[in-house]
Amino acid sequence: MVKLTDKQQAFIDAYIGEAMMNATEAARLAGYKQPNVQGAQNLVKLSAHIQKATEEKRNSAIMKQDEILQLFSSIARGEEKEKVMSASGKVEELPVSVKDRIKAAELLGKAYAMFTDKRDVQISLPTLVDDIPRDDGDD
C-alpha cells in the first residue's frame, strides 16, 4: 500500500472514529478545504486503507479467547479489584465478591466442558456393499 499523508491518515482516523463513517465530517475534521467533495474522493481513493483500519479497530475491540479465559481466571483467583462507593461517598477498591468469583469459575468450567453430561462418542459403522446381482424376473 502507498504511504499516506498526515491529512489522509487524519481522514481515516476521523472516518472510523469521531465522524462515525461520515466522509464529509471526516474530511472536515481532517482539515480539508472542500469536505463535501474531498470526503467522497477520499472514500474512493483510500478505500483499501479504510477497510484495513476498520478491521484492525474491530479486531482490537473484541477480546480473544485467551484474554477471556485469563480474565475469568484472574477473577476466580480474587486477583481483580472492583471500585465500590462506600456509604461516606469514598471510592474504595475491593476484591471481587465471592459470588463473582464463583460465576467466573463456573464460566471457566463451561469453557473447558467440565460440567457436561453429554459425551463425544465416535462410532464407526460398517459400510454395506450391495454386490449381489438383482433378478429382474424377465423369465
Side-chain angles (χ1 to χ4, degrees):
M1 284 191 191
V2 179
K3 183 162 173 48
L4 300 173
T5 66
D6 290 341
K7 196 176 270 193
Q8 288 172 329
Q9 187 61 55
F11 171 82
I12 292 170
D13 293 342
Y15 183 76
I16 65 173
E18 187 179 344
M20 297 186 290
M21 309 301 246
N22 181 319
T24 302
E25 180 65 13
R28 188 187 67 71
L29 291 169
Y32 284 92
K33 292 179 182 173
Q34 297 175 328
N36 290 340
V37 175
Q38 292 169 306
Q41 290 172 342
N42 275 345
L43 203 54
V44 174
K45 182 178 174 182
L46 304 174
S47 64
H49 293 281
I50 292 169
Q51 185 176 6
K52 182 181 176 195
T54 303
E55 189 174 305
E56 287 173 359
K57 182 178 180 182
R58 186 180 309 119
N59 287 341
S60 68
I62 298 172
M63 291 178 79
K64 305 289 184 258
Q65 185 176 5
D66 287 347
E67 289 178 281
I68 294 169
L69 294 175
Q70 287 171 356
L71 177 63
F72 287 162
S73 296
S74 181
I75 292 171
R77 291 184 185 119
E79 298 167 350
E80 292 293 315
K81 306 279 187 208
E82 59 185 346
K83 292 182 180 181
V84 178
M85 186 174 293
S86 67
S88 65
K90 186 177 179 182
V91 177
E92 299 177 18
E93 277 196 14
L94 301 173
V96 294
S97 68
V98 173
K99 177 182 79 171
D100 292 336
R101 291 176 68 183
I102 291 170
K103 183 65 177 181
E106 176 187 340
L107 292 171
L108 271 171
K110 285 181 179 180
Y112 289 114
M114 294 172 63
F115 311 124
T116 57
D117 291 334
K118 296 178 184 177
R119 299 283 182 223
D120 245 351
V121 179
Q122 294 182 2
I123 301 172
S124 59
L125 297 173
T127 304
L128 299 176
V129 178
D130 185 9
D131 59 351
I132 302 172
R134 290 190 176 160
D135 184 20
D136 291 339
D138 291 339
D139 294 311

